[in-house]
Amino acid sequence: MRFMYRMGLLAGLGAVALFVFGYSLLNPSVAAIAHDSNSVKSRKLGLQLDDADVKKQQDSSKGDQDASLNTEGGLLGATPPALTCPVPMSYWFPPDACPLHQPLCGLYVCSPKAILHLAVVACGDRTNETLVMLKSAVIFTSTKLHCHIFAETELHFGFRQQINSWPASVHDKLTYTIYPIMYPPGENSQEWKKLFRPCASQRLFLPEILTDVDSLLYVDTDILFLSPMENLWNFFSAMNSTQLAALAPEHEVKSIGWYNRFARHPYYGETGLNSGIMLMNLTRLRAFHFQNKIIPYYKEYKMKLTWGDQDLLNILFHFYPERLLVFPCEWNYRPDHCMYMQNCKSAETHGVRMVHGCRRVFFNEKQPAFKAIYQSIEQYKFDTNISLLLEGMKAKMEEPDTKASRCGQVANMFLKQVESIVRKESVTTAP
């Protein structure tokens, strides 16, 4: 009997040891995002800084000693918290989208500590536009958010100064890291940097830069959130085992499509893709050797590209359509959807969830409805009731020039999601 007892005890201890060992192997907790961007380049990535950025970084090294400002992020930004369950991050869900079961080592994880990753690339005069985009994400998103900001070195201080001035309630939710512009060694960094909009091609190299991040949402600077980022993030759970990214169509109607009428290179589907908002499973993109496929496409088609990195993504997914999930236009609503006629059916039903202010419509008078949304978010004060934001949007939409414009005539679609959020908040705060 004593012998059996001892054997049982040893078997139990062995099982515990195996569990602990297995847990350590499975646990993919988010490694620290490298805080010093130069050390990111030299120790891990083997990427080259943009030549101009190298000089600017050297020239500004003394002036940047105030980086100790960074209480919640910045160049020496806060490390995103690790997930708490030992499962592949590709399969986790935000708290409000939890699957019915949560096996400890299964395919799903639901953790209130889970964090969403957002990436943006800003060069030139795009700082304020980027900040308004980030502000809109914070306003509507309840899950913790880490933003990866890639920018020219001379813009870093301005980003840190502005974001660090936001109230403490924002920093309870938001952390961030700022990186310089960097491209693979052996590549012409100036050529890549000038591909279409300055630095936009940086996004193509994120999988090999953010090697400790599993999945993220990339957005252009001219994007505004009108609904929680968590809801778009849920499309990761809709991906099958082969899909590694998600994008919206460039057009819904072939008669006004650009790619089907003018493109001189292969493109996805019937009307192509718009790349302003892109869900990226970086783990799968790395396994797919995404970067090693994109660079040859650039060398083959570079004289035929009009829209730069967007064209390259269209070429890639033309040849690998099974790798892409397409989400509806309500998540990437552009002037093209209303300036001629209303042609985004999903936005008619659900409202506009994300606004894409391409062609600088946030700043010119061509589409005043888009400018109205941008200015309303820009002027909204953190820590005030979101109903004030809705009131500001409604007031600007009622201005004569806005109301008379084609896109202004569907103002209800721009307001629908915000109205829904305000209604929910009024119910939860009611006595």
Side-chain angles (χ1 to χ4, degrees), residues 29-97:
S29 59
V30 183
I33 295 294
H35 303 315
D36 186 315
S37 298
N38 274 326
S39 67
V40 172
K41 177 212 31 144
S42 60
R43 288 187 292 103
K44 188 175 77 171
L45 300 175
L47 298 177
Q48 61 178 350
L49 288 171
D50 171 67
D51 295 338
D53 261 358
V54 172
K55 186 176 188 306
K56 292 169 187 171
Q57 208 155 26
Q58 292 170 345
D59 293 343
S60 64
S61 59
K62 293 182 179 180
D64 267 357
Q65 289 175 359
D66 59 353
S68 58
L69 278 172
N70 304 334
T71 58
E72 292 291 338
L75 191 58
L76 304 178
T79 300
L83 294 182
T84 56
C85 297
V87 299
M89 285 179 59
S90 300
Y91 298 98
W92 73 262
F93 291 74
D96 63 348

Side-chain angles (χ1 to χ4, degrees), residues 57 75 151-161 178-180:
Q57 208 155 26
L75 191 58
E152 293 166 312
T153 303
E154 65 267 26
L155 305 181
H156 290 194
F157 176 76
F159 274 115
R160 293 198 304 271
Q161 187 177 47
I178 302 180
Y179 308 80

Side-chain angles (χ1 to χ4, degrees), residues 222-235:
D222 54 359
I223 299 296
L224 295 173
F225 290 80
L226 294 181
S227 64
M229 181 174 158
E230 298 95 313
N231 295 343
L232 179 59
W233 195 271
N234 288 342
F235 280 102

Side-chain angles (χ1 to χ4, degrees), residues 344-355:
C344 179
K345 298 298 182 184
S346 68
E348 293 181 24
T349 303
H350 303 113
V352 175
R353 296 180 185 269
M354 293 181 72
V355 176

